[in-house]
C-alpha cells in the first residue's frame, strides 16, 4: 500500500480510497425511484451502488454563495454509475481534479442483505473544508459487513462553501447548509433504497467530524439524524500560534461571521469588487479558477449564521445541543502527520533549539512550564516531542473535555484509534507516523492489502460503528465490551492492532489532560 499518499493543505488530511465496481457489472435490479426521478446504479453480488445523484441544484452563476435550492426532476432514467464532479478545490499533484462548482452530489451503497429497513449512515469527508469528495471513500465493505446503507456526500469547500460578506445571507455556513440539504434528501429517499429515514447516523472525520459537531448545535439540524460519530473533530478548544502549522497565528475553532465578513471584504477588494451596491454581483462573475487562489482563507464555518447561530463548544458545554447518542474520539498520534509533512519533510527537522523557539512562540511566559511537562529527554527526537505535545493539546484533551460535557446529557462512547498508518507515504521522510491523523480511515473504509491483523481491527471497527448505527450502542456479541463514558467513569476504548488488546484506557492520564486544563490551557 505504500505509494498512496494523503494531501494535507490546512487543517486535516483526506484519505483517497477509490475502488468502485465497474459499469460492466449488471445494471439489472439496480433501479430505484427517488423523489426526483429514476436512477440506475451498479449491481454486484452483495451490494448495489448509486453514484452522482444530485441532492440540490447546482450552486453556479447567480446561485454562487446562496443556500442550496432543490434539484430539478429529470425525465426517464438517470445513470448513477459514476460519481458527480468533485467540488472546486486546489489539485495537488497526483490527485483527482476538482474545478466544478456544480458538485452537490451524493453516493449511496446498499447491501443486498435480508431483513427490514436498514440503518443509514451519512459520511462527511474531511480535508480541512478545502479538499476531498464523498467518492474518495469506498463504502462497500462497511455496508455489507454491517448491513447498513452508506451515503457519502460532496459539499462546497473553501471560498465557495465558507465565504462571508456583508449583506450575504448564509455568510460563512454554505458548506453546513449543503450537508443539511443532503440529510433532508436522505430523509425523503431512504425508504426507496431500503433504509430507515428514522434511523440516520451522521459521521465524519476531521473537517467532517467538525461538521458533525456543528450539526449537533445547529437548530436547523433537528430531527435530521438520530446518532452522531465524531472522528478527530477539531471542534473545541483553541489553537496557539504555530502549533497546527508553521507560521499560522493563533485562531479560534469557530470564528464569528463578523470576522469572516472582514476576510470577505479583503477578498472583494483584492478582486476589484469594492462598490457596495454591486460587490456581490461582481464577485459572482469572478472565474472559478481565480477564486481558487483564495481558497484556503476560508477553512472553518463561522458562528452567527442562520445555520450555526451559536458556538458549538459553548452549546456542548451548556447542554444546548441535539440529544442523540454519540461516539467521539481521536487517533493516538494525531499530529505526527502534520509534523512530518510541514517540518521534517522540507528538510528543516525540529531541533532542540527549534523546539524551544516553538514553545516560546506558542506559549509565551508558560513555555518553560510546558517544556518541563514535555522534556526532550523523554522522546526519541524533538519532532516526536512536538508531535506529542500538540496531539495532547489540540486533539486528545479537547476531545476528552468535550466527551465529559456530552456524557452529562447523552449516552457517549469515547475511543482512541491505536492502529498504524500503513497507507501514507511521505517521500523523503522517515518520521514514524504510527496512529496519525486519518489513520483509521483505511480500516473503516478498508483498502486492498490489509494483512490478517489489520483486517481484524478493521472488522472490529466496522462492527462497532454499525452496531451503534443500528441501536445507539456499539456493543455486539463477540467483541470486547465498550463501556459508556460517564463523568464518574470516563473510560475510553482503545482500538488497537492485535495482539494488543482492544479495551479501556485512561486517555486523560496518557495525554496529560490535567496539565492542559490548568494555566497552560491555550486561549486566543
Amino acid at each position: 500500500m505504500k505509494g498512496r499518499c494523503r494531501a494535507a493543505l490546512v487543517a486535516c488530511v483526506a484519505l483517497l480510497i477509490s475502488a468502485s465496481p465497474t459499469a460492466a457489472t449488471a445494471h439489472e435490479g439496480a433501479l430505484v425511484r427517488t423523489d426526483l426521478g429514476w436512477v440506475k446504479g451498479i449491481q454486484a453480488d452483495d451490494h448495489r451502488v448509486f453514484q452522482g445523484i444530485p441532492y440540490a441544484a447546482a450552486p453556479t452563476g447567480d446561485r454562487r454563495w446562496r443556500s442550496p435550492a432543490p434539484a430539478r426532476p429529470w425525465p426517464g432514467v438517470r445513470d448513477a454509475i459514476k460519481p458527480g464532479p468533485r467540488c472546486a478545490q486546489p489539485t495537488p499533484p497526483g490527485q483527482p481534479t476538482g474545478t466544478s462548482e456544480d458538485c452537490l452530489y451524493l453516493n449511496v451503497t446498499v447491501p443486498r442483505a435480508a431483513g427490514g429497513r436498514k440503518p443509514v449512515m451519512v459520511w462527511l469527508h474531511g480535508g480541512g473544508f478545502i479538499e476531498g469528495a464523498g467518492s474518495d471513500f469506498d463504502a462497500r465493505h462497511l455496508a455489507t459487513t454491517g448491513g447498513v446503507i452508506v451515503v457519502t456526500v460532496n459539499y462546497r469547500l473553501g471560498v465557495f462553501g465558507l465565504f462571508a460578506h456583508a449583506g450575504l445571507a448564509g455568510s460563512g455556513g454554505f458548506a453546513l447548509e449543503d450537508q443539511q440539504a443532503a440529510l433532508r434528501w436522505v430523509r425523503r429517499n431512504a425508504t426507496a433504497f431500503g433504509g430507515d429515514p428514522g434511523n440516520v447516523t451522521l459521521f465524519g472525520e476531521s473537517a467532517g467530524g467538525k461538521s458533525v459537531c456543528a450539526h449537533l448545535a445547529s437548530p436547523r439540524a433537528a430531527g435530521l439524524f438520530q446518532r452522531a460519530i465524531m472522528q478527530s473533530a477539531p471542534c473545541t478548544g483553541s489553537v496557539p500560534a504555530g502549533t497546527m502549522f508553521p507560521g499560522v497565528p493563533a485562531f479560534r475553532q469557530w470564528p464569528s461571521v463578523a470576522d469572516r465578513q472582514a476576510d470577505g471584504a479583503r477578498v472583494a477588494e483584492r478582486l476589484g469588487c469594492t462598490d457596495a451596491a454591486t460587490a456581490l454581483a461582481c464577485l459572482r462573475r469572478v472565474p472559478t479558477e481565480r477564486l481558487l487562489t483564495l481558497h484556503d482563507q476560508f477553512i472553518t464555518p463561522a458562528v452567527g449564521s442562520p445555520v450555526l447561530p451559536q458556538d458549538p463548544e459553548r452549546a456542548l458545554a451548556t447542554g444546548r445541543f441535539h440529544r442523540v447518542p454519540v461516539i467521539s474520539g481521536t487517533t493516538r498520534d494525531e499530529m505526527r502527520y502534520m509534523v512530518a509533512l510541514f517540518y521534517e519533510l522540507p528538510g528543516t527537522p525540529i531541533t532542540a533549539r527549534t523546539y524551544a523557539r516553538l514553545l516560546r512562540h506558542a506559549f509565551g511566559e508558560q513555555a518553560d512550564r510546558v517544556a518541563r511537562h514535555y522534556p526532550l529527554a523523554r522522546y526519541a527526537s524533538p519532532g516526536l516531542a512536538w508531535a506529542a505535545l500538540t496531539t495532547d493539546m489540540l486533539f486528545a484533551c479537547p476531545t476528552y473535555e468535550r466527551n465529559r460535557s456530552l456524557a452529562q446529557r447523552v449516552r457517549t462512547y469515547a475511543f482512541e484509534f491505536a492502529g498504524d498508518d500503513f497507507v501514507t507515504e511521505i517521500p523523503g521522510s522517515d518520521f514514524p507516523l504510527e496512529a496519525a491523523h486519518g489513520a483509521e480511515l483505511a480500516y473503516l473504509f478498508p483498502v486492498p492489502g490489509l494483512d490478517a491483523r489489520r483486517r481484524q481491527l478493521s472488522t472490529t471497527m466496522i462492527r462497532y460503528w454499525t452496531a451503534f448505527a443500528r441501536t445507539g450502542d456499539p456493543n455486539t456479541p463477540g467483541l470486547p465490551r465498550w463501556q459508556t463514558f460517564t463523568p464518574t467513569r470516563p473510560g475510553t476504548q482503545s482500538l488497537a492492532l492485535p495482539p494488543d488488546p482492544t479495551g479501556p484506557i485512561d486517555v486523560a492520564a496518557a495525554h496529560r489532560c490535567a496539565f492542559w486544563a490548568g494555566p497552560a490551557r491555550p486561549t486566543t
Side-chain angles (χ1 to χ4, degrees):
M1 287 307 302
K2 289 295 184 182
R4 290 179 182 263
C5 68
R6 294 175 294 171
L9 295 182
V10 176
C12 74
V13 181
L15 177 64
L16 302 182
I17 305 169
S18 58
S20 295
T22 66
T25 334
H27 302 309
E28 189 176 346
L31 283 172
V32 169
R33 185 172 187 173
T34 74
D35 63 331
L36 297 177
W38 288 92
V39 291
K40 178 178 65 176
I42 299 168
Q43 178 88 29
D45 289 341
D46 59 356
H47 69 281
R48 296 178 295 161
V49 177
F50 304 84
Q51 302 181 95
I53 302 174
Y55 67 85
T60 56
D62 189 55
R63 292 220 54 80
R64 178 189 281 173
W65 299 315
R66 296 189 191 276
S67 298
R72 291 183 178 180
W74 55 84
V77 178
R78 181 187 180 97
D79 269 342
I81 61 176
K82 293 182 180 179
R86 302 168 71 82
C87 287
Q89 58 193 274
T91 305
Q95 300 297 334
T97 301
T99 58
S100 179
E101 292 184 64
D102 177 7
C103 65
L104 300 186
Y105 299 91
L106 52 76
N107 316 291
V108 185
T109 304
V110 183
R112 297 187 70 188
R117 291 183 180 177
K118 296 172 178 60
V120 182
M121 301 185 73
V122 179
W123 174 252
L124 303 179
H125 68 79
F129 289 104
I130 61 170
E131 62 179 2
S135 56
D136 291 342
F137 298 87
D138 177 9
R140 288 177 294 169
H141 200 70
L142 178 61
T144 57
T145 300
V148 298
I149 293 172
V150 183
V151 179
T152 65
V153 178
N154 288 359
Y155 54 91
R156 281 175 283 181
L157 301 167
V159 69
F160 304 100
L162 300 172
F163 182 74
H165 195 273
L168 179 61
S171 279
F174 301 111
L176 298 179
E177 291 193 58
D178 292 346
Q179 294 164 3
Q180 290 185 4
L183 286 167
R184 289 192 292 271
W185 182 95
V186 168
R187 186 170 60 185
R188 296 193 306 271
N189 291 283
T191 302
F193 291 88
D196 182 353
N199 187 4
V200 174
T201 296
L202 185 63
F203 70 136
E205 184 266 347
S206 200
K210 187 170 186 173
S211 298
V212 176
C213 184
H215 295 305
L216 282 170
S218 171
R220 291 186 174 183
L224 293 180
F225 57 95
Q226 288 69 48
R227 330 213 187 282
I229 302 176
M230 293 179 280
Q231 300 170 213
S232 301
C235 86
T236 50
S238 54
V239 182
T243 54
M244 183 66 78
F245 301 102
V248 175
F251 65 91
R252 298 191 304 274
Q253 292 289 8
W254 301 100
S256 69
V257 166
D259 290 339
R260 277 288 171 263
Q261 288 177 342
D263 295 336
R266 286 187 286 271
V267 165
E269 183 175 4
R270 180 173 172 180
L271 295 172
C273 298
T274 54
D275 183 85
T278 61
L280 288 176
C282 174
L283 287 164
R284 289 188 172 112
R285 291 193 296 269
V286 175
T288 303
E289 293 74 14
R290 190 174 182 193
L291 285 175
L292 279 174
T293 66
L294 308 167
H295 205 59
D296 61 4
Q297 296 184 32
F298 300 91
I299 61 170
T300 191
V303 172
S305 68
V307 73
L308 193 62
Q310 58 181 331
D311 185 319
E313 179 168 10
R314 180 160 179 76
L316 297 188
T318 58
R320 292 178 294 168
F321 63 92
H322 302 305
R323 304 301 173 85
V324 301
V326 172
I327 288 178
S328 169
T330 63
T331 68
R332 186 190 59 213
D333 308 300
E334 289 279 358
M335 286 295 292
R336 287 197 186 194
Y337 180 76
M338 279 67 123
V339 169
L341 189 66
F342 291 101
Y343 287 101
E344 306 293 320
L345 178 62
T348 54
I350 297 174
T351 64
R353 179 175 294 180
T354 308
Y355 185 68
R357 176 175 55 79
L358 288 169
L359 289 172
R360 288 194 301 273
H361 183 56
F363 303 107
E365 62 184 21
Q366 293 291 329
D368 290 342
R369 186 168 181 268
V370 175
R372 287 194 296 272
H373 278 77
Y374 293 84
L376 290 180
R378 184 183 293 155
Y379 302 94
S381 72
L384 285 171
W386 185 246
L389 183 160
T390 51
T391 291
D392 294 355
M393 176 192 61
L394 298 178
F395 283 96
C397 297
T399 299
Y400 175 79
E401 291 300 325
R402 178 177 76 223
N403 292 344
R404 286 169 57 89
S405 294
L406 288 164
Q408 293 180 35
R409 297 172 177 89
V410 298
R411 189 163 64 251
T412 302
Y413 297 90
F415 76 90
E416 180 175 87
F417 178 81
D420 65 335
D421 184 341
F422 73 101
V423 170
T424 305
E425 182 179 39
I426 303 177
S429 173
D430 58 1
F431 193 79
L433 295 178
E434 299 294 335
H437 188 73
E440 84 278 20
L441 298 180
Y443 297 76
L444 189 59
F445 298 90
V447 298
L450 274 69
D451 60 23
R453 295 166 62 238
R454 295 185 178 110
R455 284 198 304 271
Q456 183 176 334
L457 178 55
S458 172
T459 299
T460 295
M461 284 190 66
I462 287 173
R463 290 184 64 199
Y464 276 143
W465 261 235
T466 55
F468 177 79
R470 186 166 288 104
T471 67
D473 183 337
N475 289 290
T476 191
L479 293 184
R481 181 72 184 170
W482 188 343
Q483 296 180 342
T484 55
F485 184 105
T486 69
T488 58
R489 191 182 60 194
T492 295
Q493 190 85 336
S494 174
L495 303 172
L497 276 173
D500 293 338
T502 285
I505 59 170
D506 186 344
V507 159
H511 293 279
R512 301 174 182 82
C513 294
F515 170 71
W516 290 112
R521 183 172 183 171
T523 58
T524 56

